[in-house]
Each structure stands twice: as structure tokens, then as C-alpha cells.
Amino acid sequence: MLENPVFDALFKPFQCKSLNLPNRLVMAPMTRSHSPNGILGPDMAPYYARRAAANVGLIISEATGIARPGSLNDLDVPRFYGEAELAAWKTAVDAVHASGGQFVPQLWHVGAMRAAAHARRVDDALLESPSGLDAKGQLRNKPMTDSDIADTIAAYADAAANAKKMGCDGVEIHGAHGYLIDQFFWPLSNRREDQWGGNTLLERSRFAVEILKAVRASVGEDFAVILRVSQWKQQDYEARLAETPQELDAWLNLLSDAGVDIFHLSQRRFWEAEFAGSELNLAGWAKKLTGKPTITVGSVGLNGDFLSSFSGGGADQAANLDQLATRLEKGEFDLVAVGRALLQDPAWATKLKESRSDEMSSFNAASMLTVF
């Protein structure tokens, strides 16, 4: 059995602007593709509410598309624009609130990223990217025009404003994993020679900076804005945008100054150090360098990373939790995002809180295909 005192840090309240969380546990954003034609499916509000009712303080939605024709590559992924779409999201927000949790949508544009072969795919001709190239530098489509870029920035701002209007508790911008914002960061996919490109990461960050500024202007100073970033991208899990703490410092503080309140740092394994000579993970470095609260994520409670799940692999549910709580208690990061463990078991957080580890089942990859 797990001992409660070890995990007290996970169940302490957290506050940042509009976020007032009962604990430090966050449901990580995970694409479910259960939203036919872009409208959140009827099983999704109960799916989110079930986790909130079981001691998950913050629900971050699966990534949801902004109002651009090519923002999504899968017809069964939800949109965050349109009357019917927003009404469906309002149902989910209200259900989570009624269950004692708080709710943040993750706003998304896939860029040149094609959908999985088994998905109901959007026409590839609609996809757009900085230079018409995917994250490997291969030709996919036409480069975005200045008008396309301006419209995309406005679409992020409009989506954030709608999130606030419907009663969400904050908003998260997806700037990681090789999608559109991340494609602007990388030199292979961003070869622009105008103000949206450049030889340095800071120059190529202008697109993200302008999105953050526009979002901040649309929601005001008191609404929490979260940015998810990663070192890696789906096409290269060993890739690094910042090779040194100094490079990471300059990059994250540029984004911080543009309007980020909380950084969500995506890692495959939260326990891995980001740079030699320090035990800090990526979230730990981000907090140290910016002074902003951070969310850690990456195989929490499991002994296998998410890549094994895509090939049908399982994982033990009781791994690494004592280390996680100890690092949280020391202040290395502020919040903990949990993904696959919560797909497997909606009551995972309650079982953790109540020292019922003997009731935690091992992760089964089949749970990635269902919503319950």
C-alpha cells in the first residue's frame, strides 16, 4: 500500500490567476477522436467529469482546433469554433465544474502534420505550414502567407476569448510535438526569410510570441494562459530546440514575457534530467529560469513511456510515484499531468489519495481506443 504522507504534496491546493485548484493533479491532453465532424461527442462530457469527480483538480481537454480550414487533420477531432461546437464544449465545462474540477481547453493547429492512416483524414490540401514543409523538411503544401498568419493568430485569440466567455478556468496553447507553432520553431520546417523566420530560435519564435500577445489581449491579465512546449518532436524524439540551459533561458523568457502564466513541459519520462550536471527535469529548469509555475508530465505512475503504448505495450501502474511526490514537495515543479494512467482508470487519483495502490491495474494499450 502507498503511504498517504508521501503524497500529501500532490493534494495541496494551487492558485494562479483564474485557476484555483483543489490539488496538483492534472489530466493531460490526449486526442480521443470521438467527436464526429468536429463536434464533441456525447460521451466526452461524462468522460471528463468522471476524472474530475475522482480528485483530478484540473482537466486539460484533448487538443481542439482553432478556426482555420487546416487546423485539424482528423474529422473526428473536436473544433473550438462554431455554435454547435462551442455549445458541446460548454456542456463539458459545466460537467467538470459540477464534479468539483476545473477545465482548460487546449487550442491546436496541426500545421503540416498528416493524420494517422486509420483516421478519417482531412484533405491534405488544406494543411498549412510556415514554409510548405513538414517537420522533416519535406514538401507538403504552400507556405503560409502574411494574411494566413494574421488570420491564424486572430483565430487563437478568438478561441481563447470564447473559452473565457463559456466559463473555462484558463486556456492552453499547444506549442509542442511538431505541430504548427512548433514547426515555426524548427529550422527544417521554417525556412522563411521574412519576419516569421530567421537563423535563431528566438527569431523563429515570433509567431508564438504574437499568438501569446493576442491571446493575452483577448482574455485580460487575470485569465490563466498555459503554453505547452517540448524539446522533442514526433519525427525526432532525440531532437532539442535548446542545447544548453542558457539557450533554454533566453527562449522560455521570451515566451514568458509575451504572456505565459504556466509552462507545460512535455517529456517522455518526467524523471529524466534535462541537462548534464543537474537532476532537474525540463519542468524544473523552466521554473528555475522563468520563475513561472510549471507542469511536469511523462509516464507518471508507469514504467513504460507512451511510445510503447502505440505498439500495444502495457505498463505497471505503481511505478515512480514516491519520486514524483518528493520532487513536487521540493518545489521542482508545481503541477503533475497524468495521461495514460487516467485513461486506464478514472478513479486513479482517488486510489492514490486513499492508499489503494493494490487496486491500481496495469496499463493496457486497449484503453487508448475507448472512452469511459
Side-chain angles (χ1 to χ4, degrees):
M1 300 285 283
L2 302 174
E3 295 297 325
N4 267 335
V6 177
F7 301 103
D8 283 349
L10 289 165
F11 294 95
K12 292 179 179 178
F14 172 84
Q15 193 275 328
C16 178
K17 293 189 175 180
S18 53
L19 286 177
N20 288 281
L21 306 180
N23 58 52
R24 305 303 179 100
L25 293 173
V26 177
M27 183 174 182
M30 292 173 284
T31 297
R32 308 317 316 277
S33 297
H34 279 255
S35 300
N37 299 314
I39 299 175
L40 196 69
D43 48 356
M44 294 304 295
Y47 159 83
Y48 289 127
R50 204 169 290 122
R51 276 79 182 165
N55 289 291
V56 179
L58 176 62
I59 304 294
I60 301 179
S61 79
E62 67 177 297
T64 177
I66 60 168
R68 284 289 295 172
S71 66
L72 296 175
N73 54 20
D74 183 338
L75 292 169
D76 293 323
V77 169
R79 300 188 293 259
F80 207 78
Y81 61 93
E83 185 176 349
E85 290 89 341
L86 294 177
W89 277 116
K90 180 70 164 80
T91 300
V93 174
D94 291 347
V96 168
H97 286 166
S99 299
Q102 296 203 311
F103 187 92
V104 165
Q106 186 189 69
L107 306 181
W108 197 29
H109 189 310
V110 300
M113 188 82 72
R114 290 176 173 173
H118 63 270
R120 291 206 306 139
R121 295 170 64 169
V122 171
D123 186 347
D124 284 349
L126 294 176
L127 303 182
E128 57 188 0
S129 60
S131 301
L133 307 170
D134 66 13
K136 293 183 179 180
Q138 298 175 338
L139 184 64
R140 283 284 181 260
N141 41 44
K142 294 180 180 179
M144 295 175 74
T145 65
D146 283 346
S147 177
D148 293 334
I149 289 173
D151 186 65
T152 301
I153 292 169
Y156 274 104
D158 289 345
N162 283 328
K164 183 177 182 180
K165 183 177 180 181
M166 77 169 60
C168 295
D169 302 288
V171 66
E172 177 165 291
I173 309 299
H174 194 339
H177 303 166
Y179 297 112
L180 182 65
I181 294 175
D182 201 30
Q183 286 165 20
F184 272 87
F185 292 146
W186 288 93
L188 267 181
S189 50
N190 182 357
R191 301 182 188 175
R192 300 179 71 98
E193 296 180 354
D194 59 7
Q195 68 269 31
W196 305 107
N199 294 324
T200 69
L201 174 57
L202 298 190
E203 290 173 310
R204 297 189 300 273
S205 296
R206 181 174 179 180
F207 181 62
V209 165
E210 294 304 321
I211 288 170
L212 291 165
K213 288 180 177 178
V215 165
R216 174 58 67 205
S218 75
V219 299
E221 288 299 322
D222 295 331
F223 196 67
V225 174
I226 306 170
L227 177 66
R228 195 179 210 201
V229 293
S230 64
Q231 288 271 50
W232 58 272
K233 49 186 174 176
Q234 290 186 47
Q235 303 78 11
D236 185 354
Y237 293 104
E238 302 303 320
R240 293 165 72 87
L241 281 165
E243 294 287 352
T244 67
Q246 293 75 22
E247 292 176 351
L248 187 67
D249 185 5
W251 180 49
L252 293 184
N253 274 294
L254 178 72
L255 300 172
S256 176
D257 291 344
V260 178
D261 295 308
I262 301 172
F263 283 97
H264 187 175
L265 289 307
S266 181
Q267 285 186 265
R268 290 168 63 187
R269 309 172 189 92
F270 81 85
W271 57 86
E272 292 184 341
E274 187 60 29
F275 298 111
S278 170
E279 294 183 354
L280 292 176
N281 70 5
L282 186 57
W285 274 106
K287 182 175 182 179
K288 177 180 178 178
L289 295 172
T290 68
K292 296 288 180 71
T294 61
I295 306 172
T296 196
V297 69
S299 304
V300 170
L302 304 176
N303 60 5
D305 72 19
F306 67 93
L307 289 181
S308 65
S309 300
F310 292 120
S311 58
D316 177 16
Q317 279 275 25
N320 64 48
L321 292 173
D322 53 348
Q323 179 190 162
L324 176 78
T326 299
R327 294 172 78 154
L328 177 66
E329 181 67 42
K330 290 179 178 179
E332 182 175 344
F333 36 77
D334 301 273
L335 297 165
V336 175
V338 183
R340 289 170 295 148
L342 284 171
L343 290 188
Q344 179 72 29
D345 186 357
W348 181 87
T350 294
K351 292 176 181 178
L352 178 64
K353 185 177 183 180
E354 297 177 355
S355 298
R356 293 157 52 197
S357 64
D358 56 326
E359 299 179 25
M360 291 179 173
S361 58
S362 296
F363 175 74
N364 186 323
S367 65
M368 298 182 69
L369 303 177
T370 61
V371 171
F372 64 92

